[in-house]
């Protein structure tokens, strides 16, 4: 069953990093419902992208592992979307 | 970034001397101990080629005839030598011509550093002549890529590129350097990269997983090892032999794993996959513990996943964590380099034997004997691919490096050539790239000049990169080329025969005179159509000092069996 997940990806902030992340969702046909990407305050070399995606739990885990493989990605945090608390 | 300083450019008085970005690039390659490059010049990479003119005593550049040839050559070089292959190309079409090779290297885990020229930075995004957004185009088919717009950033980009390409699960990296960065002057200081903040290529295997895996193996009555390319990439051949021998485990190989476990070893049971050997496929569904090492359960290996290894508890060892559990549910996943994991596993294994289990492979092998007989000792008038490969195997004693293209000849070679030496099988696995073989063989010969390198190619694939005969001619690269010519795109034709009611839709080929073409390139060649002359022709080829092309006309409508049809399980492998 598909659910909404909040996925936060902490990474270096290079020109193609966000594209690499989005490619991983596209390739697995995982729908991005919302995306917020930001530089870390006072640190333009690092950034964080927060996705809300619609996927099965299994697909979410495969995507997370693929994201963690990216050279620039430091870590990922995933949690199921809590309808009472919008991320 | 953890680094080790190894080169700085200073003048005679010890003061840092500024050099161009192009020279920084070449000095960086030399610092990485690169000796051979495969490439093709063009407008946006001309400053690099100009600098290369002064470095020809340290960097051997092979001028290919098409950029796809360069990247496949670099792949062959990397696969045979264990080093990182290096490619130079210009912007626009030069860069896009690398894409097939990048995709091939990405899926087959081949370490490459590709350097492309780019239009000057002030022209980026303006649709300038030969501008293409190669960074975004290559994103899905590179392990990492970077665009460099300042000469001062060239050296650190190269250092990171080599570290990333070779470490962890290897893969292709692309560095796109704008033309102004190639001309610009900067200090040169090179530091080898050993570590990056966000990239952890060497996993530390969990000891509990090792112990759990050992327990499963020690309690198993029918354990079975599937050996993939991870064994070759991590140099774990000895560790694999030690583990297999100690615990008495039969070993089968994937296509890319061939040569990772000696084909002559008594525990070797054959080659896995859609057109692999019968017993290793069928017995996958009989084993109780499946130990997959450095392989990724490609669909050509598993057949129908729902019918795959139903009785087995699966142990999966892989350096790429995302592969574990991706296709096949895993009982014990070990995220580790194969050599490291097997070294840790060995002391936990009980010394044991499984004679009945091993005998079951031999019993199934009997069912395949009729096919082998038909392939290798045919009674038909025309030559068959299997007998050509068998005779070649006997003549070379399985000690040559053999490159294959994609299709029937590839499957036949994988079945009948005995790959005994590590890194002796060079083939396009995951991507199945026709046209791979000829340039890859050329690169393999450059990477292992002391070895005989034989390219076995079908008539279709040969014509996809036939232009590289020009490169072979120019540099007199002594590769031995065997074209198994059936005037068909044989594997597609076989599928059309079996699954599309013999509707041979655009698979028959009207071919040119390959011998005449070779002669036009001043490459010694001959054509053989009769069994009576096959041995002599193969001997002539192997005894010839330079490059050689041997066209062997084979049966027009030969099928490769056994075969696991699409949708079937491995145990449903067809013998006819």
């Amino acid at each position: 069953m598909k659910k909404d997940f909040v996925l936060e990806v902490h990474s270096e902030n290079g020109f193609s990093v966000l594209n690499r992340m989005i490619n991983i969702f596209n390739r697995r046909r995982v729908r991005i419902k919302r995306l917020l990407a930001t530089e870390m305050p006072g640190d333009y070399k690092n950034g964080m992208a927060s996705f809300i995606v619609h996927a099965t739990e299994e697909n979410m885990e495969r995507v997370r592992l693929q994201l963690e493989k990216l050279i620039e990605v430091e870590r990922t945090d995933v949690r199921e979307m809590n309808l009472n608390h919008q991320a | 970034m953890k680094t080790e300083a190894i080169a700085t450019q200073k003048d005679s008085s010890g003061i840092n001397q500024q050099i161009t970005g192009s020279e920084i690039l070449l000095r960086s390659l030399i610092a990485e101990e690169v000796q051979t490059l495969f490439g093709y010049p063009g407008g946006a990479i001309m400053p690099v080629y100009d600098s290369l003119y002064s470095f020809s005593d340290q960097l051997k550049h092979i001028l290919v005839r098409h950029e796809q040839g360069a990247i496949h050559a670099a792949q062959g070089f990397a696969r045979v030598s264990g080093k990182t292959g290096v490619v130079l190309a210009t912007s626009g079409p030069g860069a896009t011509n690398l894409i097939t090779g990048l995709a091939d290297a990405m899926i087959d885990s081949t370490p490459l550093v590709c350097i492309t020229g780019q239009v000057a930075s002030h022209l980026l995004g303006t649709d300038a002549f030969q501008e293409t957004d190669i960074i975004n185009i290559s994103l899905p088919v590179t392990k990492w890529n970077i665009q460099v717009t300042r000469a001062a950033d060239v050296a650190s980009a190269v250092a990171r590129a080599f570290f990333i390409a070779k470490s962890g699960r290897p893969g292709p990296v692309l560095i796109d350097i704008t033309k102004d960065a190639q001309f610009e002057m900067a200090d040169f200081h090179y530091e080898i990269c050993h570590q990056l903040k966000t990239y952890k290529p060497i996993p530390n295997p969990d000891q509990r997983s090792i112990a759990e895996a050992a327990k499963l193996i020690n309690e198993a009555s029918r354990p079975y090892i599937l050996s993939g390319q991870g064994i070759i990439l991590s140099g774990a051949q000895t560790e694999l032999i030690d583990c297999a021998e100690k615990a008495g485990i039969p070993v089968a190989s994937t296509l890319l794993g061939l040569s990772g476990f000696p084909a002559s070893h008594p525990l070797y049971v054959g080659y896995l996959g859609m057109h692999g050997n019968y017993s290793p496929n069928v017995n996958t569904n009989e084993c109780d513990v499946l130990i997959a090492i450095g392989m990724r359960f490609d669909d050509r290996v598993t057949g129908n996943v729902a019918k795959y290894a139903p009785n087995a508890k699966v142990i999966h060892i892989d350096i790429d964590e995302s592969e574990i559990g991706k296709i096949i549910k895993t009982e014990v996943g070990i995220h580790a380099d194969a050599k490291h994991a097997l070294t840790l596993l060995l002391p936990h294994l009980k010394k044991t034997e499984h004679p009945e289990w091993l005998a079951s492979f031999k019993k199934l092998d009997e069912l395949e004997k009729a096919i082998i007989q038909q392939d290798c000792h045919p009674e038909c008038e025309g030559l068959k691919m299997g007998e050509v490969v068998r005779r070649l195997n006997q003549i070379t004693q399985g000690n040559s490096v053999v490159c294959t293209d994609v299709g029937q000849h590839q499957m036949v070679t994988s079945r009948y050539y005995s790959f005994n030496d590590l890194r002796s099988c060079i083939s396009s696995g995951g991507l199945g790239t026709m046209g791979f073989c000829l340039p890859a063989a050329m690169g393999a010969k450059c990477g292992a000049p002391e070895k005989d390198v034989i390219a076995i190619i079908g008539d279709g694939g040969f014509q996809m990169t036939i232009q590289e005969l020009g490169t072979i001619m120019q540099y007199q690269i002594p590769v031995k080329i065997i074209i198994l010519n059936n005037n068909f795109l044989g594997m597609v034709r076989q599928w059309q025969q079996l699954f599309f009611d013999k509707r041979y839709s655009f698979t028959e080929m009207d071919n040119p005179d390959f011998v005449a073409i070779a002669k036009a390139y001043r490459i010694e060649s001959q054509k053989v159509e009769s069994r009576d002359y096959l041995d002599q022709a193969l001997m002539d080829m192997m005894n010839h000092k330079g490059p050689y092309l041997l066209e062997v006309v084979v049966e027009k409508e030969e099928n490769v069996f056994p075969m696991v049809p699409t949708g079937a399980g491995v145990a449903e492998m067809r013998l006819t």
Side-chain angles (χ1 to χ4, degrees):
Chain A
M1 192 186 72
K2 288 187 180 178
K3 301 177 204 167
D4 287 350
F5 292 90
V6 179
L7 172 64
E8 288 180 351
V9 187
H10 297 259
S11 72
E12 289 182 351
N13 183 26
F15 275 113
S16 56
V17 180
L18 192 59
N19 285 4
R20 279 194 181 270
M21 292 177 196
I22 291 169
N23 276 350
I24 289 171
F25 294 108
N26 288 348
R27 191 171 171 202
R28 285 189 169 260
R29 302 184 68 81
V30 170
R31 184 154 58 91
I32 299 170
K33 295 180 80 169
R34 199 182 80 183
L35 163 61
L36 173 71
T38 175
E39 282 182 4
M40 298 314 278
D43 178 11
Y44 74 93
K45 286 188 174 176
N46 289 291
M48 195 269 282
S50 172
F51 297 86
I52 296 177
V53 294
H54 192 60
T56 61
E57 213 157 303
E58 192 192 349
N59 226 359
M60 190 66 256
E61 176 61 5
R62 301 318 323 164
V63 164
R64 189 187 67 76
L65 287 168
Q66 291 284 336
L67 286 165
E68 290 210 337
K69 252 176 84 170
L70 297 180
I71 303 298
E72 299 90 343
V73 169
E74 192 171 2
R75 68 168 206 279
T76 59
D77 298 316
V78 184
R79 62 181 187 277
E80 211 176 306
M81 179 89 173
N82 184 337
L83 291 175
N84 298 323
H85 298 93
Q86 286 285 314
Chain B
M1 187 165 102
K2 189 174 171 187
T3 57
E4 170 197 347
I6 66 156
T8 304
Q9 186 66 17
K10 293 186 175 179
D11 66 14
S12 52
S13 54
I15 296 168
N16 278 353
Q17 190 183 4
Q18 291 210 323
I19 55 177
T20 63
S22 294
E23 196 175 329
I24 290 174
L25 171 69
L26 300 182
R27 289 194 182 278
S28 301
L29 295 178
I30 290 164
E32 290 288 346
E33 297 181 355
V34 172
Q35 293 175 323
T36 307
L37 318 167
F38 301 92
Y40 203 99
I45 193 85
M46 280 189 71
V48 171
Y49 271 83
D50 184 62
S51 297
L52 196 55
Y53 195 70
S54 310
F55 281 84
S56 55
D57 57 332
Q58 294 174 76
L59 291 167
K60 184 180 181 188
H61 177 273
I62 305 286
L63 173 65
V64 295
R65 297 301 184 264
H66 188 288
E67 290 85 353
Q68 188 185 354
I71 193 161
H72 291 328
Q75 288 178 272
F77 177 92
R79 293 268 289 272
V80 81
S81 68
K83 297 175 186 168
T84 298
V86 182
V87 177
L88 281 182
T90 192
S91 63
T96 55
N97 280 343
L98 299 178
I99 295 298
T100 301
L102 287 170
D104 196 287
M106 186 73 174
I107 201 164
D108 282 354
S109 312
T110 307
L112 298 181
V113 171
C114 298
I115 297 139
T116 51
Q118 180 57 279
V119 299
S121 52
H122 72 278
L123 294 172
L124 287 170
T126 66
D127 298 325
F129 178 65
Q130 292 194 330
E131 186 202 0
T132 191
D133 182 3
I134 196 62
I135 291 294
N136 273 312
I137 291 172
S138 67
L139 273 184
V141 289
T142 49
K143 187 175 174 186
W144 183 69
N145 65 15
I146 187 168
Q147 187 168 67
V148 179
T149 56
R150 300 185 326 149
D153 296 335
V154 170
S156 70
V158 172
R160 276 180 285 168
F162 274 85
F163 175 57
I164 291 167
K166 192 79 195 331
S167 56
R169 180 177 177 174
V173 165
L174 184 137
I175 309 173
D176 193 39
I177 310 177
T178 58
K179 201 169 179 179
D180 50 331
Q182 297 170 42
F183 278 126
E184 194 187 3
M185 306 289 282
D187 288 343
F188 174 61
H189 179 69
Y190 196 79
E191 296 183 352
I192 299 270
C193 176
H194 294 295
Q195 195 178 308
L196 290 168
K197 192 183 96 182
T198 56
Y199 172 56
K200 305 280 176 285
I202 305 165
N204 203 9
D206 173 16
Q207 290 288 346
R208 264 186 314 182
S209 303
I210 297 285
E212 281 174 34
K215 186 169 181 288
L216 283 181
I217 295 168
N218 290 336
E219 289 171 357
S221 50
R222 295 181 307 281
Y224 186 26
I225 291 175
L226 310 185
S227 166
Q229 194 192 195
I231 294 294
I232 298 168
L233 293 171
S234 72
Q237 191 181 37
T238 307
E239 289 75 10
L240 177 61
I241 293 170
D242 289 348
C243 284
E245 286 180 350
K246 189 173 179 188
I249 309 173
V251 179
S253 175
T254 65
L255 174 68
L256 292 189
L258 288 171
S259 86
F261 192 83
S264 54
H265 195 284
L267 286 170
Y268 183 67
V269 294
Y271 154 57
L272 292 160
M274 182 177 264
H275 291 284
N277 295 113
Y278 190 67
S279 71
N281 277 299
V282 170
N283 262 355
T284 303
N285 284 11
E286 298 301 321
C287 72
D288 57 357
V289 171
L290 188 70
I291 308 128
I293 311 169
M295 57 86 77
R296 57 183 180 82
F297 291 108
D298 183 274
D299 56 273
R300 288 300 194 259
V301 164
T302 62
N304 186 336
V305 171
K307 298 177 182 175
Y308 187 75
N311 307 312
K313 289 177 175 164
V314 176
I315 300 165
H316 192 175
I317 301 170
D318 206 287
I319 198 161
D320 181 351
E321 193 182 11
S322 72
E323 290 296 346
I324 297 171
K326 184 180 85 174
I327 306 291
I328 299 296
K329 190 173 168 294
T330 302
E331 198 79 16
V332 180
I334 301 175
H335 177 208
D337 169 76
K339 189 183 180 91
H340 191 190
L342 292 173
T343 304
L344 293 173
L345 191 61
L346 184 65
H348 293 277
L349 297 179
K350 274 197 307 199
K351 184 152 180 57
T352 183
E353 288 179 358
H354 301 282
E356 282 179 24
W357 171 228
L358 200 57
S360 73
F361 286 87
K362 303 264 179 272
K363 203 171 162 189
L364 289 169
D365 287 343
E366 291 297 315
L367 300 174
E368 199 180 339
K369 273 192 173 163
I371 295 172
I372 296 171
Q373 181 69 20
Q374 281 169 25
D375 284 349
C376 297
H377 307 280
E379 288 171 4
C380 57
E381 196 185 333
L383 282 160
K384 294 190 80 173
M385 296 184 196
E387 66 181 312
V388 180
V389 176
R390 185 189 70 94
R391 287 302 297 139
L392 181 74
N393 188 47
Q394 286 171 339
I395 288 167
T396 61
Q397 299 182 322
N399 293 326
S400 296
V401 171
V402 176
C403 304
T404 58
D405 213 72
V406 174
Q408 286 185 317
H409 72 278
Q410 178 192 33
M411 297 296 104
V412 169
T413 304
S414 304
R415 286 170 55 77
Y416 296 121
Y417 198 84
S418 306
F419 295 96
N420 291 317
D421 295 339
L422 204 62
R423 297 185 176 277
S424 60
C425 174
I426 314 288
S427 193
S428 168
L431 200 67
T433 305
M434 284 177 70
F436 171 85
C437 180
L438 186 64
M442 204 167 80
K445 186 63 188 175
C446 295
E450 73 288 358
K451 295 198 172 166
D452 287 327
V453 175
I454 301 163
I456 301 181
I457 321 181
D459 46 304
F462 180 63
Q463 292 178 84
M464 283 199 175
T465 45
I466 193 170
Q467 76 285 343
E468 296 310 328
L469 288 175
T471 313
I472 290 167
M473 172 187 71
Q474 181 168 348
Y475 297 95
Q476 282 298 297
I477 302 169
V479 286
K480 314 300 178 193
I481 306 157
I482 300 176
I483 303 173
L484 296 176
N485 182 8
N486 55 10
N487 290 293
F488 255 120
L489 300 173
M491 188 59 90
V492 184
R493 187 214 56 76
Q494 176 172 340
W495 279 55
Q496 287 172 336
Q497 179 188 337
L498 298 176
F499 310 118
F500 291 88
D501 211 16
K502 292 191 180 179
R503 288 157 59 85
Y504 295 150
S505 181
F506 303 102
T507 42
E508 191 163 12
M509 299 191 95
D510 192 4
N511 283 324
D513 182 341
F514 292 124
V515 170
I517 287 175
K519 287 197 189 307
Y521 280 103
R522 300 195 290 281
I523 293 171
E524 195 71 29
S525 58
Q526 69 169 303
K527 178 177 182 175
V528 61
E529 296 177 82
S530 158
R531 192 163 290 122
D532 297 340
Y533 302 108
L534 176 64
D535 276 15
Q536 189 56 51
L538 289 169
M539 296 291 285
D540 289 347
M541 178 186 79
M542 294 310 296
N543 290 333
H544 184 71
K545 282 199 165 27
Y548 198 97
L549 183 143
L550 175 63
E551 177 190 355
V552 183
V553 178
V554 293
E555 283 284 283
K556 210 167 163 66
E557 297 190 24
E558 182 182 346
N559 286 340
V560 184
F561 283 111
M563 153 174 212
V564 181
T566 307
V570 285
E572 297 165 313
M573 194 170 207
R574 282 175 58 171
L575 285 161
T576 54

